[in-house]
Amino acid sequence: MASSIPGVAELVAGARRLYGQVFGEEGPQVAVCAPGRVNLIGEHTDYNQGFVLPMALPMVTVVVGRETSGQDVTVVTATEDADEPHRVDFSLPSDGSPLSPGEPSWANYVKGVIQHYRAPVPGFRAVIASSVPLGGGLSSSASLEVAFYTFLQQLKPDDGDKISKAVACQQAEHTHAGVPCGIMDQFVSVLGREGHALLIDCRSLEATPVPLADPSLVILITNSNVKHSLTGSEYPTRRRQCEEAASILGKDSLRDATMKDLDEARGRLDDVTYRRARHVIEEIERTIQAAEALKRGGYKEFGRLMVESHNSLRDLYEVSCRELDELVSAAMEVEGVFGSRMTGGGFGGCTVTLLQAHAIDRTILHIQERYSGTPSFYVTTPSDGARALTLS
Ligand code: GLA
């Protein structure tokens, strides 16, 4: 059956306990959290300035801590799967020189956020705890970046601009994790809204909340529990191929290209570049249509677009894998399932399935029976973005 995830209060309690064990009596002064996300549709469109339709999850990363005098920073993670050591100590450079990334890798997100924080950063002590599965394609890294940024805001406030906050966290990922990601994950982790998905225009950075709280509907996340090592190298390659296609078409980005433009230029594009561009152009259109369908409760149409998106990611963009394809096929065999697709960067991680609430038990059972690996299931709802929490 579906896995239960620890709630925010439980995570905070655990982080406070660990804080006490590591730092002694004076407890943390602030606590914050930021969510992971699942993308409903609009995959690999964000860095092409297209549309995406993600929602924030109830799974969050929590940071508790306290400002200290001086320039010293100590951060401890309670995440068991994080690489060792689980504690880092460093000093904030007084001359503004950069904090270089290194080992352990989880601390690079913290260093990156400090680097790109939009106000002076004081010394501090902090503990991180998270219910977002690590490396499962649900944006555990964006939730850590945004949680940390939100933590720093409690110590020394910046101007409070939420879009600039998301962009600063994206920069942290670029410079300190070496992943040239788009804006989707950080954006929805900052601006997610309970009961809504967000239609984000990744060019204007405007977001339209789309209600998604129908009790007859369930959003099921299935974790394949596999992660293929391709992820690291393939993502930047896809991004480059898209930029190349846009440049051959004489456009700033694929957002400005139509299928007519692409077909007219076919002779000047190699087959792979053509297929990558086709996915992006059609996926941007599908995302707009899907948001419209959702607004009017057109779940069947939404589901059909999800499956089209998956097939395009599998055949044209080539970022799916056997396990994700199996999970989608299994889900689509169940009556009451509207649609299912891989979500996030690909090569493992999770699928997202939209179904009638009454079909949930048989869907989970059927996927369990049909999947060759060991899946985990999360029944989930759209949740709020990053926030400060009160410590009682
Ligand atoms: C990762 C990136 C996002 C986005 C997705 C694919 O999650 O962090 O910016 O590009 O892949 O849609």
Side-chain angles (χ1 to χ4, degrees):
M1 282 296 110
S3 314
S4 66
I5 51 158
V8 178
E10 199 179 324
L11 283 172
V12 171
R16 280 176 99 167
R17 261 194 314 276
L18 183 56
Y19 190 99
Q21 284 159 17
V22 177
F23 300 115
E25 281 178 8
E26 202 180 30
Q29 144 205 50
V30 297
V32 299
C33 72
R37 64 96 188 95
V38 67
N39 188 21
L40 299 172
I41 194 163
E43 216 66 83
H44 290 277
T45 49
D46 60 352
Y47 53 83
N48 289 295
Q49 302 198 9
F51 286 91
V52 292
L53 188 66
M55 57 176 239
L57 293 174
M59 298 162 174
V60 296
T61 296
V62 154
V63 178
V64 304
R66 161 176 292 278
E67 183 175 339
T68 55
S69 57
Q71 295 292 97
D72 291 340
V73 167
T74 301
V75 186
V76 175
T77 180
T79 308
E80 279 167 21
D81 295 347
D83 55 337
E84 299 275 356
H86 286 180
R87 170 183 174 142
V88 289
D89 294 275
F90 56 90
S91 286
L92 299 167
S94 46
D95 57 357
S97 56
L99 277 171
S100 338
E103 303 282 324
S105 58
W106 62 267
N108 292 334
Y109 300 105
V110 173
K111 291 178 183 167
V113 169
I114 293 176
Q115 193 72 45
H116 295 280
Y117 188 63
R118 295 163 50 259
V121 176
F124 62 85
R125 293 167 160 177
V127 169
I128 300 166
S130 187
S131 58
V132 189
L134 216 66
L138 301 179
S139 288
S140 53
S141 54
S143 76
L144 173 54
E145 289 148 10
V146 174
F148 229 89
Y149 196 104
T150 312
F151 170 71
L152 295 179
Q153 285 178 305
Q154 313 313 305
L155 305 185
K156 284 278 180 289
D158 65 350
D159 62 10
D161 184 82
K162 291 191 171 183
I163 307 271
S164 306
K165 172 176 174 178
V167 171
C169 291
Q170 178 196 22
Q171 289 305 316
E173 178 111 12
H174 287 192
T175 58
H176 282 68
V179 181
C181 64
I183 190 67
M184 166 169 70
D185 306 346
Q186 292 81 6
F187 193 109
V188 70
S189 184
V190 173
L191 286 124
R193 199 196 286 185
E194 192 180 348
H196 296 77
L198 284 190
L199 178 66
I200 307 169
D201 178 338
C202 298
R203 180 161 63 187
S204 67
L205 297 185
E206 277 162 358
T208 313
V210 183
L212 181 55
D214 182 339
S216 72
L217 203 67
V218 159
I219 301 151
L220 172 70
I221 295 174
T222 307
N223 194 339
S224 67
N225 288 316
V226 300
K227 187 165 172 58
H228 295 291
S229 56
L230 282 172
T231 327
S233 57
E234 294 289 319
Y235 188 90
T237 307
R238 292 298 180 287
R239 200 172 168 153
R240 248 194 335 272
Q241 288 164 336
C242 291
E243 282 158 6
E244 197 187 312
S247 129
I248 293 173
L249 297 180
K251 309 282 183 190
D252 282 347
S253 72
L254 288 177
R255 166 72 179 271
D256 298 317
T258 60
M259 275 308 294
K260 187 163 168 281
D261 294 329
L262 186 65
D263 284 331
E264 278 168 9
R266 188 157 194 170
R268 288 182 283 132
L269 293 158
D270 63 67
D271 180 53
V272 171
T273 314
Y274 173 84
R275 285 187 291 125
R276 302 297 188 253
R278 182 171 162 196
H279 164 77
V280 172
I281 294 169
E282 292 179 341
E283 181 80 354
I284 292 173
E285 191 49 43
R286 267 194 292 271
T287 306
I288 299 167
Q289 283 175 22
E292 285 304 316
L294 197 58
K295 278 182 203 157
R296 43 166 210 274
Y299 303 140
K300 275 199 178 143
E301 185 186 349
F302 193 92
R304 181 180 55 75
L305 292 164
M306 287 175 86
V307 175
E308 275 180 33
S309 165
H310 181 80
N311 294 344
S312 175
L313 289 159
R314 182 191 62 203
D315 302 334
L316 299 177
Y317 217 65
E318 296 179 283
V319 291
S320 186
C321 59
R322 181 181 54 78
E323 293 86 350
L324 293 172
D325 296 344
E326 265 182 23
L327 289 174
V328 168
S329 306
M332 292 313 298
E333 284 163 1
V334 184
E335 207 195 311
V337 169
F338 292 115
S340 184
R341 57 184 288 281
M342 57 156 276
T343 183
F347 302 108
C350 295
T351 62
V352 57
T353 303
L354 196 73
L355 64 147
Q356 287 173 347
H358 65 75
I360 185 66
D361 291 345
R362 65 168 186 268
T363 304
I364 290 180
L365 275 175
H366 186 75
I367 296 176
Q368 244 161 1
E369 253 169 49
R370 292 291 308 269
Y371 182 48
S372 57
T374 311
S376 317
F377 298 96
Y378 316 103
V379 171
T380 192
T381 48
S383 305
D384 276 331
R387 54 207 182 266
L389 304 166
T390 36
L391 279 172
S392 48

